[in-house]
Amino acid sequence: MKDPYLFQHRNILSIEQLSKSDIFHILDTALSFKEISNRPVKKVPTLKGKTIINFFFEPSTRTRLSFEIAAKRMSADTFNIAASTSSAQKGETLIDTARNLEAMNPDIIIIRHGSSGAPGLLSRHIKAGIINAGDGTHEHPSQALLDMMTVRDHKKEIKGLTVAIIGDIAHSRVAHSNILGFTKMGADVRVAGPATFIPPHVDALGATVCASVKEAVTGADVVMALRIQKERQDDPLIPSLREYAQFYGINKSLLQHAKPDVLIMHPGPINRGVEMNPDVADGERSVILEQVTNGVAVRMALLYLVMGTQGVSS
Ligand code: CP
């Protein structure tokens, strides 16, 4: 007889580490938690007595707040620490800071860091569960999971869909996680953008590189635009934002080539009029705010599932 499925990840560092069964399980768990946020009293006792630390070295609105809301809706005690107000400013190393946090016995540490691999490094040095809230250009696994949840809400199945990801693929951890996630779930992923924004070997991740945005969006079920990650570029990689908007911005006339029921997505924050026109971002096919809503449910699921593996080594 086949062994029953067991979620075994004490740390969530990447989409790469997750199997298709893990992703289905996270998305199903998130769906079951989603209605809690619509109750008059938005709180369940599931994580009562647990301690969760949000440790953010880079700015964040959606991810930091939705992890905090998720934890509070499950009755965990949450604490926020920003690099700008921590002793990292006085030269303390990441591992020393994390060991000091661990001395206070948290159950989970959620970390966003500008260096790819920082959450993985912590996971090898401390016992608390680590959740990656975005590391450098590496991965942003909870973002890809909420994106997949949003697509599944509308399209029922991810398998067989065509997903076009447009823009700064090279510097985007969101793109990396989404390419891995959507291809794992059986979607056909296309990418397009200026040549300086297309990383070498992106096809090895399973994405098809298109010569133009029009080619990428033609027949697409999902069009996802990305923010230009200026903070990860030493020199400007595009001549001007005006030209970027003209050739790579998502507008209504471009979307005539996509499927009529195309979903428009963006991880946020949006540069309106650059990677996407306001009438598209706010239009009837946009699910951008649904992505944010689903972020709370996905993060509740991750906290719940990771907490359930305490004591498992992975
Ligand atoms: N999508 C995302 O990571 O947004 P924040 O930077 O606001 O967390």
Side-chain angles (χ1 to χ4, degrees), residues 14-182:
S14 63
I15 292 294
E16 190 175 15
Q17 79 182 94
L18 300 175
S19 67
K20 198 169 160 180
S21 302
D22 292 327
I23 294 173
F24 271 123
H25 188 62
I26 294 166
L27 299 186
D28 289 345
T29 306
L31 192 59
S32 73
F33 283 144
K34 191 171 171 177
E35 61 84 23
I36 294 168
S37 293
N38 296 326
R39 294 181 190 175
V41 177
K42 303 171 181 61
K43 216 173 189 51
V44 291
T46 316
L47 300 184
K48 195 168 167 54
K50 301 296 182 186
T51 302
I52 295 171
I53 296 178
N54 263 325
F55 191 17
F56 275 57
F57 282 77
E58 287 189 330
S60 169
T61 298
R62 284 147 286 266
T63 312
R64 197 198 63 72
L65 191 59
S66 61
F67 265 118
E68 186 175 358
I69 289 174
K72 286 199 156 90
R73 290 203 174 145
M74 304 185 92
S75 301
D77 298 316
T78 62
F79 302 89
N80 296 306
I81 172 166
S84 56
T85 54
S86 79
S87 287
Q89 292 296 321
K90 301 177 200 162
E92 188 168 54
T93 67
L94 178 63
I95 291 173
D96 274 342
T97 304
R99 280 190 175 137
N100 279 271
L101 296 182
E102 178 150 82
M104 299 177 225
N105 210 13
D107 296 285
I108 294 177
I109 298 176
I110 297 152
I111 178 167
R112 169 171 287 190
H113 201 282
S115 295
S116 301
L121 180 70
L122 284 196
S123 73
R124 292 190 289 278
H125 285 85
I126 64 175
K127 292 196 300 291
I130 300 291
I131 300 182
N132 178 6
D135 63 329
T137 58
H138 175 226
E139 282 226 33
H140 192 348
S142 62
Q143 178 71 44
L145 289 163
L146 72 88
D147 290 341
M148 288 188 272
M149 179 175 182
T150 306
V151 170
R152 209 162 73 134
D153 277 355
H154 285 268
K155 305 285 185 190
K156 308 299 170 222
E157 243 202 318
I158 293 172
K159 189 175 170 192
L161 297 179
T162 298
V163 178
I165 305 180
I166 311 299
D168 187 359
I169 313 293
H171 304 96
S172 172
R173 52 200 178 202
V174 174
H176 189 194
S177 289
N178 268 317
I179 291 168
L180 291 172
F182 277 102

